[in-house]
Each structure stands twice: as C-alpha cells, then as structure tokens.
Amino acid sequence: MIRTLPSFQRLTFTSVARMYIHIGQAQVISPRTGYISSIDSMEIGLVGVLLGAGRKTVEEPVDFSAGIRFRKKAGACVRRGDVLAEAYTERDGVLENYAVQRVLEAFRVSDVEVGDLPLLITNFVTKNGVEEFDQSTLADI
C-alpha cells in the first residue's frame, strides 16, 4: 500500500546547520501483519539513486534532501497499516510511479517471529588495534 502525502515544505536541519526543503514525501505502508525478516539493502540503495540521494556517475549531483527514512528495522513486529519507511525527493513523479513500491518490495514480512538477527558489526579497528564493538550503543536505534 502506498500513502502519498500532499506536497509540502518541511525544514530539516543537519548537524552542520544546513537547511533543506522537502517537496515530496511518501510513506511506505505495511500491507500485512507479521515480522520483518529482511530488507534488501541493494534495492534500497538503487531506489535512493532514483530519489536523488545517490548518483549513477560521479558527475551527477546529489540531492541532500532526498532519501529514505526507516521507521521499522529487520526483526520488528509490524501490523497492517504501519509505516515501514518514508521516502523524500524533489523529483516529479518518482514517488507515485515506482520508488515507493520498490521500497515496499524490499521489505520481507514473515508470519514467523524472526528472533535474534546475526551481528553485522563485531569489531572495529583503532590506532591501538582491533577492539570489540559494544552492541549496547545501538539499543536506541
């Protein structure tokens, strides 16, 4: 299900105090109840390029107001109608035509609870060598 919000202007401030105006926003809505078993990161990255958050060639500009904001992560329980993600772009027709549908298709929703997912980051390298990564720092994400 796709829920497109009316065009609006929303101010967003980044840590470097830049100001961006979002012209188009659309919500990606879960069509069913279940558990998010996976999210296809390659597809999400490709959709980001379509929205303007990435580029196909080094010469193309990047739109820093475009992108995808995740509202749910892998392993989360979702109900039908929950917002999975939000897509932002200034490009005409991208949200309505295909970008939101592709983000929705990147989410895999299962009837079975996923349980603990494997750790993606276990260690990091510092000037002192390899150190264990503290997973508790991600608890609020």
Side-chain angles (χ1 to χ4, degrees), residues 5-132:
L5 303 178
S7 291
F8 69 100
Q9 293 187 343
R10 174 181 160 192
L11 301 179
T12 304
F13 295 93
T14 67
S15 59
V16 292
R18 291 184 183 154
M19 185 172 50
Y20 301 112
I21 299 174
H22 295 288
I23 298 206
Q25 175 190 12
Q27 295 178 326
V28 180
I29 306 298
S30 178
R32 58 183 285 232
T33 297
Y35 299 89
I36 299 175
S37 58
S38 67
I39 303 170
D40 183 345
S41 59
M42 176 64 86
E43 185 65 10
I44 293 296
L46 293 172
V47 173
V49 172
L50 293 174
L51 295 172
R55 52 185 159 196
K56 294 178 186 173
T57 66
V58 72
E59 294 83 20
E60 290 182 0
V62 173
D63 178 359
F64 293 102
S65 67
I68 301 165
R69 181 176 184 185
F70 292 92
R71 294 298 188 169
K72 301 291 183 181
K73 61 183 179 179
C77 178
V78 295
R79 298 191 190 290
R80 183 174 188 238
D82 282 356
V83 177
L84 301 175
E86 294 168 338
Y88 300 91
T89 189
E90 292 184 7
R91 295 181 176 176
D92 288 334
V94 174
L95 294 174
E96 298 84 2
N97 292 335
Y98 47 84
V100 174
Q101 185 62 36
R102 286 181 62 179
V103 172
L104 178 60
E105 291 170 1
F107 280 82
R108 300 284 181 259
V109 180
S110 168
D111 293 330
V112 181
E113 188 172 359
V114 177
D116 291 335
L117 297 171
L119 299 177
L120 297 177
I121 303 171
T122 58
N123 300 78
F124 62 98
V125 178
T126 68
K127 65 180 179 181
N128 299 324
V130 178
E131 298 180 21
E132 191 171 314

